[in-house]
Amino acid sequence: MRVVKEADERRNEILDAADELFAQKGFDGTSTNDILEKVGIARGTLYYHFKSKEEILDSLIERYNIRLLCAAQEVASDKSIPIVERIIRVVMALNISGGSSEEIMDHIHKPQNALMHQKIQKVIINEIPPILTEIILEGIEQGMFNTPFPYECMEMVVIYATTVFDDDMITMTNEERYSRMVAFISNVERLLGAESGSLMETLKMFGVEDEEA
């Protein structure tokens, strides 16, 4: 058991070092030698855990996916937070966070890394709607929402939010983004059978102010 623990610790040390280096120097600008020097290990030790720099990046993405789901589940389970706020916080948690997040996202958006992007999308589309559905069911019990399709509604919300609001997929001006956000929230209200205008306050949680104000 001690050997397994040490192997896990070493693997995480390598990932932590790569995470920091990718943020500082970029994925392409970071060599395996950089990682070796930062961790202070021999090349053979690195290749025992990871076959390539690409495999290290793939493992970092997997680790971020786990963190993302844990963060989303933690917010969803906190019933001291109002229902609407919990929904928005879960959606906002979909942003991958970490030292090298921007570099990783830039990398996986390259055409040759479409598979990595697909892996993240697959996790989000499969794992986030069930988390959101539990919150919607609470809202239905409290009379806030009225829909026979809570899961399907949340699946639509997640797919739209993670594609249309992905700057790499669709480039928008601030005005276009605002218009999309208003339309998105308005249609979510209809999907959930919520009172018209009841979710518009969520714009402020996304850092979007009413342009007419």
Side-chain angles (χ1 to χ4, degrees):
M1 290 300 293
R2 180 62 185 162
V3 173
V4 172
K5 182 178 180 182
E6 288 181 351
D8 287 342
E9 288 176 351
R10 180 65 75 191
R11 178 182 173 87
N12 281 317
E13 285 177 3
I14 294 169
L15 288 175
D16 289 341
D19 195 6
E20 187 175 335
L21 287 167
F22 291 167
Q24 292 172 350
K25 305 173 70 172
F27 177 80
D28 293 330
T30 300
S31 67
T32 51
N33 281 334
D34 292 331
I35 299 172
L36 293 175
E37 290 177 8
K38 188 164 185 64
V39 183
I41 56 175
R43 187 170 297 275
T45 303
L46 176 68
Y47 288 131
Y48 172 79
H49 296 282
F50 302 100
K51 295 177 182 177
S52 65
K53 190 173 68 169
E54 287 73 19
E55 188 171 304
I56 293 174
L57 179 64
D58 208 7
S59 294
L60 273 176
I61 291 172
E62 182 180 354
R63 189 163 76 168
Y64 284 140
N65 279 336
I66 292 171
R67 288 177 181 174
L68 177 156
L69 293 175
C70 287
Q73 187 63 66
E74 184 177 354
V75 170
S77 301
D78 188 349
K79 297 194 177 185
S80 68
I81 303 173
I83 284 177
V84 173
E85 186 176 338
R86 263 188 282 161
I87 294 169
I88 302 307
R89 285 197 189 184
V90 169
V91 173
M92 291 172 76
L94 300 184
N95 293 319
I96 293 178
S97 59
S100 61
S101 59
E102 185 174 348
E103 173 62 28
I104 286 178
M105 294 310 292
D106 286 344
H107 185 74
I108 67 169
H109 278 126
K110 293 178 181 178
Q112 65 268 33
N113 295 318
L115 181 59
M116 289 183 183
H117 194 185
Q118 184 180 350
K119 284 182 179 181
I120 290 180
Q121 287 292 95
K122 184 176 181 179
V123 168
I124 290 173
I125 291 170
N126 282 280
E127 303 294 337
I128 295 298
I131 294 174
L132 286 169
T133 298
E134 290 303 311
I135 307 176
I136 300 304
L137 290 173
E138 282 185 53
I140 292 173
E141 288 178 4
Q142 294 181 23
M144 294 175 61
F145 308 133
N146 179 23
T147 174
F149 305 110
Y151 178 86
E152 291 79 3
C153 288
M154 290 301 96
E155 188 175 58
M156 286 184 244
V157 164
V158 168
I159 292 172
Y160 186 90
T162 56
T163 52
V164 174
F165 295 119
D166 183 334
D167 290 335
D168 188 70
M169 299 284 286
I170 299 175
T171 302
M172 292 180 279
T173 64
N174 289 336
E175 292 77 11
E176 288 170 336
R177 178 175 289 275
Y178 175 79
S179 179
R180 296 278 209 301
M181 288 291 291
V182 172
F184 176 57
I185 293 171
S186 178
N187 281 295
V188 170
E189 288 174 348
R190 292 186 181 131
L191 282 172
L192 294 176
E195 182 180 347
S196 178
S198 63
L199 302 182
M200 283 299 168
E201 281 293 311
T202 58
L203 283 172
K204 293 178 181 177
M205 289 188 64
F206 282 112
V208 179
E209 294 296 333
D210 190 335
E211 293 194 342
E212 294 179 358

